[in-house]
Amino acid sequence: MAENYKGMNYLRTKLAEKRIRVLVRYKYYNMKDIERDSSIAIPDSVRDRYKSAVGWCAKAVDSLSNRLTFRGFGNDNFDLQHIFDMNNKDVLFDSAFLGALISSCDFIYISAGEDGFPRLQVIDGSNATGIIDTVTNMLQEGYAVLERDDNGFPISEAYFVKGRTFFYQKGMKPYSIPNVAPYPLLVPVIYRPDASRPFGHSRITRACMDYQRAA
């Protein structure tokens, strides 16, 4: 490839490091973060039966997510609204917004359906990453795990660059599909990006998790 890309192996390693942090935040959002109470005032016989969870992290996400509504495109010269209407836009945007609030960045994977019409799929931040262009907030290259086995190991992966998408499926020969898009067909949906954190900030902050643990 003529472009100076980091490569799929680099992005695979980057995702493995990021995935741990994202899954922790999903655990807090789903209120499965039951902490062991170390207080000596509660006997072990009672402590083992009593389990509790605090929903402050979930409240932080849902209070904002419930207010976000996508209404449509202005100056829609490329008929993008029709594409989104054909891809169940209500579920698509709600899922993308919610995931971005939890993991700081979700992704929309663009592919062609059996009829050739663009198909849009949300991939959460624990299964995709990339190298971002800080001017356009689009990816220069991207990587996504499209499917995992029961143990969490990838069995279907994709590597995205401008003009082509490469697919790697376990037990099958790799192949690629060209496209005419000027960017990779993996589009980031980012919550609160800035110069130091181009992939944004999670709504579930470390402070929020600390308060919930303390409670």
Side-chain angles (χ1 to χ4, degrees), residues 77-121:
N77 297 325
F78 298 99
D79 198 21
L80 294 177
Q81 188 65 49
H82 178 59
I83 295 175
F84 279 87
D85 289 340
M86 295 291 290
N87 278 276
N88 199 358
K89 65 175 183 178
D90 296 329
V91 175
L92 180 81
F93 280 109
D94 286 348
S95 177
F97 291 157
L98 181 65
L101 291 172
I102 296 172
S103 63
S104 78
C105 180
D106 258 20
F107 298 85
I108 294 181
Y109 161 45
I110 306 171
S111 61
E114 295 180 356
D115 57 356
F117 195 82
R119 182 178 61 183
L120 307 180
Q121 175 186 345

Coordinates of all heavy atoms in Angstrom, one line a residue, residues 77-121:
N77 N -27.7 16.6 -0.1 CA -27.5 16.5 -1.6 C -27.2 15.0 -2.0 O -27.4 14.7 -3.2 CB -26.3 17.4 -2.0 CG -26.6 18.8 -1.7 OD1 -27.8 19.3 -1.8 ND2 -25.6 19.6 -1.4
F78 N -26.8 14.2 -1.1 CA -26.4 12.8 -1.5 C -27.5 11.8 -1.0 O -27.2 10.6 -1.0 CB -25.1 12.4 -0.9 CG -24.0 13.3 -1.4 CD1 -23.5 14.4 -0.7 CD2 -23.4 13.1 -2.7 CE1 -22.5 15.2 -1.2 CE2 -22.4 13.9 -3.2 CZ -21.9 15.0 -2.4
D79 N -28.6 12.2 -0.6 CA -29.8 11.4 -0.2 C -29.3 10.4 0.9 O -29.7 9.3 0.9 CB -30.3 10.6 -1.4 CG -31.6 10.0 -1.2 OD1 -32.4 10.5 -0.3 OD2 -32.0 9.0 -1.8
L80 N -28.6 11.0 1.9 CA -28.2 10.2 3.0 C -29.3 9.8 3.9 O -29.3 8.7 4.5 CB -27.1 10.9 3.8 CG -25.8 11.2 3.2 CD1 -24.9 12.0 4.1 CD2 -25.1 9.9 2.8
Q81 N -30.3 10.6 3.9 CA -31.5 10.3 4.8 C -32.2 9.0 4.3 O -32.6 8.2 5.2 CB -32.5 11.4 4.7 CG -33.7 11.3 5.7 CD -33.2 11.3 7.1 OE1 -32.4 12.2 7.5 NE2 -33.6 10.4 7.9
H82 N -32.2 8.8 3.0 CA -32.8 7.5 2.5 C -32.0 6.3 3.0 O -32.6 5.3 3.3 CB -32.9 7.6 1.0 CG -33.4 6.3 0.4 ND1 -34.7 5.9 0.7 CD2 -32.9 5.4 -0.5 CE1 -34.9 4.8 0.0 NE2 -33.9 4.5 -0.7
I83 N -30.7 6.4 3.0 CA -29.8 5.3 3.4 C -30.1 5.0 4.9 O -30.2 3.9 5.3 CB -28.3 5.7 3.2 CG1 -28.1 5.8 1.7 CG2 -27.4 4.6 3.8 CD1 -26.7 6.2 1.4
F84 N -30.2 6.0 5.7 CA -30.4 5.8 7.1 C -31.8 5.3 7.4 O -32.0 4.5 8.3 CB -30.2 7.1 7.9 CG -28.7 7.4 8.2 CD1 -27.9 8.0 7.3 CD2 -28.1 7.0 9.4 CE1 -26.6 8.3 7.5 CE2 -26.8 7.2 9.6 CZ -26.0 7.8 8.7
D85 N -32.8 5.8 6.6 CA -34.2 5.2 6.8 C -34.2 3.8 6.5 O -35.0 3.0 7.1 CB -35.1 6.0 5.9 CG -35.3 7.4 6.3 OD1 -35.1 7.7 7.5 OD2 -35.8 8.3 5.5
M86 N -33.4 3.3 5.6 CA -33.4 1.9 5.2 C -32.6 1.0 6.1 O -32.6 -0.2 6.0 CB -32.9 1.7 3.8 CG -33.7 2.4 2.7 SD -35.3 1.5 2.4 CE -34.7 0.0 1.7
N87 N -32.0 1.6 7.1 CA -31.1 0.9 8.1 C -31.6 1.0 9.5 O -30.8 1.0 10.4 CB -29.7 1.4 8.0 CG -28.9 0.7 6.8 OD1 -28.4 -0.3 7.0 ND2 -28.9 1.4 5.7
N88 N -33.0 1.1 9.7 CA -33.6 1.2 11.0 C -32.9 2.3 11.8 O -32.3 2.0 12.9 CB -33.4 -0.2 11.7 CG -34.4 -0.4 12.8 OD1 -35.1 0.5 13.1 ND2 -34.3 -1.5 13.4
K89 N -33.1 3.5 11.4 CA -32.3 4.6 12.0 C -32.6 4.8 13.4 O -31.7 5.3 14.2 CB -32.6 5.9 11.2 CG -34.1 6.3 11.3 CD -34.3 7.7 10.7 CE -35.7 8.2 10.9 NZ -36.0 9.5 10.3
D90 N -33.7 4.5 13.9 CA -34.0 4.7 15.3 C -33.2 3.9 16.2 O -32.6 4.4 17.2 CB -35.5 4.5 15.6 CG -36.4 5.4 14.9 OD1 -36.0 6.6 14.7 OD2 -37.6 5.0 14.5
V91 N -33.1 2.6 15.9 CA -32.2 1.7 16.7 C -30.8 2.0 16.5 O -29.9 2.0 17.4 CB -32.5 0.2 16.4 CG1 -31.6 -0.7 17.1 CG2 -34.0 -0.1 16.7
L92 N -30.4 2.3 15.2 CA -29.0 2.5 14.8 C -28.4 3.7 15.6 O -27.4 3.6 16.3 CB -28.9 2.8 13.3 CG -27.5 3.1 12.8 CD1 -26.8 1.8 12.6 CD2 -27.6 3.9 11.5
F93 N -29.1 4.8 15.6 CA -28.5 6.0 16.3 C -28.6 5.8 17.9 O -27.7 6.2 18.5 CB -29.3 7.3 15.9 CG -28.8 7.8 14.6 CD1 -29.6 7.7 13.5 CD2 -27.6 8.4 14.5 CE1 -29.2 8.2 12.2 CE2 -27.1 8.8 13.2 CZ -27.9 8.7 12.1
D94 N -29.7 5.3 18.4 CA -29.7 5.1 19.8 C -28.6 4.2 20.3 O -28.0 4.4 21.3 CB -31.1 4.5 20.2 CG -32.2 5.5 20.1 OD1 -31.9 6.7 20.0 OD2 -33.4 5.1 20.2
S95 N -28.3 3.1 19.6 CA -27.3 2.2 19.9 C -25.9 2.9 19.8 O -25.1 2.7 20.7 CB -27.3 1.0 19.0 OG -26.3 0.1 19.3
A96 N -25.7 3.6 18.8 CA -24.4 4.3 18.6 C -24.2 5.4 19.6 O -23.1 5.5 20.2 CB -24.3 4.9 17.2
F97 N -25.2 6.2 20.0 CA -25.0 7.2 21.0 C -24.8 6.6 22.3 O -23.9 7.1 23.1 CB -26.3 8.1 21.0 CG -26.5 8.9 19.8 CD1 -27.8 9.4 19.5 CD2 -25.4 9.3 19.0 CE1 -28.0 10.2 18.3 CE2 -25.6 10.1 17.9 CZ -26.9 10.5 17.5
L98 N -25.5 5.6 22.7 CA -25.4 4.9 24.0 C -24.0 4.4 24.1 O -23.3 4.6 25.2 CB -26.4 3.8 24.2 CG -26.4 3.1 25.5 CD1 -26.7 4.1 26.7 CD2 -27.3 1.9 25.5
G99 N -23.5 3.6 23.1 CA -22.2 3.0 23.2 C -21.1 4.1 23.3 O -20.1 3.9 24.0
A100 N -21.2 5.2 22.5 CA -20.2 6.3 22.6 C -20.2 6.9 24.0 O -19.1 7.3 24.4 CB -20.5 7.3 21.5
L101 N -21.3 7.0 24.6 CA -21.3 7.6 26.0 C -20.6 6.7 27.0 O -19.9 7.1 27.9 CB -22.7 7.9 26.4 CG -23.5 9.0 25.7 CD1 -24.9 9.0 26.2 CD2 -22.8 10.3 26.0
I102 N -20.7 5.4 26.8 CA -20.0 4.4 27.7 C -18.6 4.3 27.4 O -17.7 4.3 28.3 CB -20.7 3.0 27.6 CG1 -22.2 3.1 28.0 CG2 -20.0 2.0 28.4 CD1 -23.0 1.9 27.8
S103 N -18.2 4.1 26.1 CA -16.8 3.7 25.8 C -16.0 4.9 25.2 O -14.9 4.8 24.8 CB -16.8 2.6 24.7 OG -17.4 3.0 23.5
S104 N -16.7 6.1 25.1 CA -16.1 7.3 24.5 C -16.2 7.3 23.0 O -16.3 8.4 22.4 CB -14.7 7.6 24.9 OG -13.8 6.8 24.2
C105 N -16.2 6.2 22.3 CA -16.3 6.1 20.9 C -16.9 4.8 20.4 O -16.4 3.7 20.8 CB -14.9 6.3 20.2 SG -14.9 6.3 18.4
D106 N -17.9 4.9 19.6 CA -18.5 3.7 18.9 C -18.2 3.9 17.4 O -17.7 5.0 17.0 CB -20.0 3.6 19.1 CG -20.3 2.5 20.1 OD1 -19.5 2.2 20.9 OD2 -21.5 2.1 20.1
F107 N -18.5 2.9 16.6 CA -18.2 3.0 15.2 C -19.4 2.4 14.4 O -20.1 1.5 14.8 CB -16.9 2.1 14.9 CG -15.7 2.6 15.6 CD1 -15.4 2.2 16.9 CD2 -14.8 3.4 14.9 CE1 -14.2 2.6 17.5 CE2 -13.6 3.9 15.6 CZ -13.4 3.4 16.8
I108 N -19.5 3.0 13.2 CA -20.5 2.5 12.3 C -19.8 1.9 11.1 O -19.0 2.6 10.4 CB -21.5 3.6 11.8 CG1 -22.3 4.1 13.0 CG2 -22.4 3.1 10.7 CD1 -23.3 5.2 12.6
Y109 N -20.0 0.6 10.9 CA -19.4 -0.1 9.8 C -20.3 -0.1 8.6 O -21.5 -0.5 8.7 CB -19.1 -1.5 10.3 CG -18.9 -2.6 9.3 CD1 -18.1 -2.4 8.2 CD2 -19.5 -3.9 9.4 CE1 -17.8 -3.3 7.2 CE2 -19.2 -4.9 8.4 CZ -18.4 -4.6 7.3 OH -18.2 -5.5 6.4
I110 N -19.8 0.3 7.5 CA -20.5 0.4 6.2 C -20.1 -0.7 5.3 O -19.0 -0.9 5.0 CB -20.3 1.8 5.5 CG1 -20.5 2.9 6.5 CG2 -21.2 1.9 4.3 CD1 -20.1 4.3 6.0
S111 N -21.1 -1.4 4.8 CA -20.9 -2.5 3.9 C -22.0 -2.5 2.9 O -23.0 -1.8 3.0 CB -20.8 -3.9 4.6 OG -22.0 -4.2 5.3
A112 N -21.9 -3.4 1.9 CA -23.0 -3.5 0.9 C -23.8 -4.7 1.2 O -23.3 -5.8 1.4 CB -22.4 -3.6 -0.5
G113 N -25.2 -4.6 1.2 CA -26.1 -5.7 1.4 C -26.1 -6.6 0.1 O -25.5 -6.3 -0.9
E114 N -26.9 -7.6 0.2 CA -27.1 -8.5 -0.9 C -27.6 -7.8 -2.2 O -27.4 -8.2 -3.3 CB -28.0 -9.7 -0.6 CG -27.3 -10.6 0.5 CD -28.2 -11.7 0.9 OE1 -29.4 -11.8 0.3 OE2 -27.8 -12.6 1.7
D115 N -28.4 -6.7 -1.9 CA -29.0 -6.0 -3.1 C -28.1 -4.8 -3.5 O -28.5 -4.0 -4.4 CB -30.4 -5.5 -2.7 CG -30.3 -4.6 -1.4 OD1 -29.3 -4.5 -0.8 OD2 -31.4 -4.1 -1.0
G116 N -26.9 -4.7 -2.9 CA -26.0 -3.6 -3.2 C -26.2 -2.3 -2.5 O -25.5 -1.4 -2.6
F117 N -27.3 -2.3 -1.7 CA -27.6 -1.1 -0.9 C -26.8 -1.0 0.3 O -26.4 -2.0 0.9 CB -29.1 -1.1 -0.5 CG -29.7 0.2 -0.1 CD1 -30.1 1.2 -1.0 CD2 -29.7 0.6 1.3 CE1 -30.6 2.4 -0.6 CE2 -30.2 1.8 1.7 CZ -30.6 2.7 0.7
P118 N -26.3 0.2 0.7 CA -25.4 0.4 1.8 C -26.1 -0.2 3.1 O -27.2 0.1 3.4 CB -25.2 1.9 1.9 CG -25.4 2.4 0.5 CD -26.5 1.5 0.0
R119 N -25.3 -0.9 3.8 CA -25.8 -1.5 5.1 C -25.0 -0.9 6.2 O -23.7 -0.9 6.1 CB -25.7 -3.0 5.1 CG -26.2 -3.7 6.3 CD -26.1 -5.2 6.1 NE -24.7 -5.6 5.9 CZ -24.3 -6.9 5.7 NH1 -25.2 -7.9 5.6 NH2 -23.0 -7.2 5.6
L120 N -25.6 -0.5 7.3 CA -24.9 0.1 8.4 C -25.0 -0.7 9.7 O -26.1 -1.2 10.0 CB -25.5 1.5 8.7 CG -25.6 2.5 7.5 CD1 -26.2 3.8 7.9 CD2 -24.2 2.7 6.9
Q121 N -23.9 -0.9 10.4 CA -23.9 -1.7 11.5 C -23.1 -1.0 12.6 O -22.0 -0.6 12.4 CB -23.3 -3.1 11.2 CG -23.1 -4.0 12.4 CD -22.4 -5.3 12.1 OE1 -22.2 -5.6 10.9 NE2 -21.9 -6.0 13.1

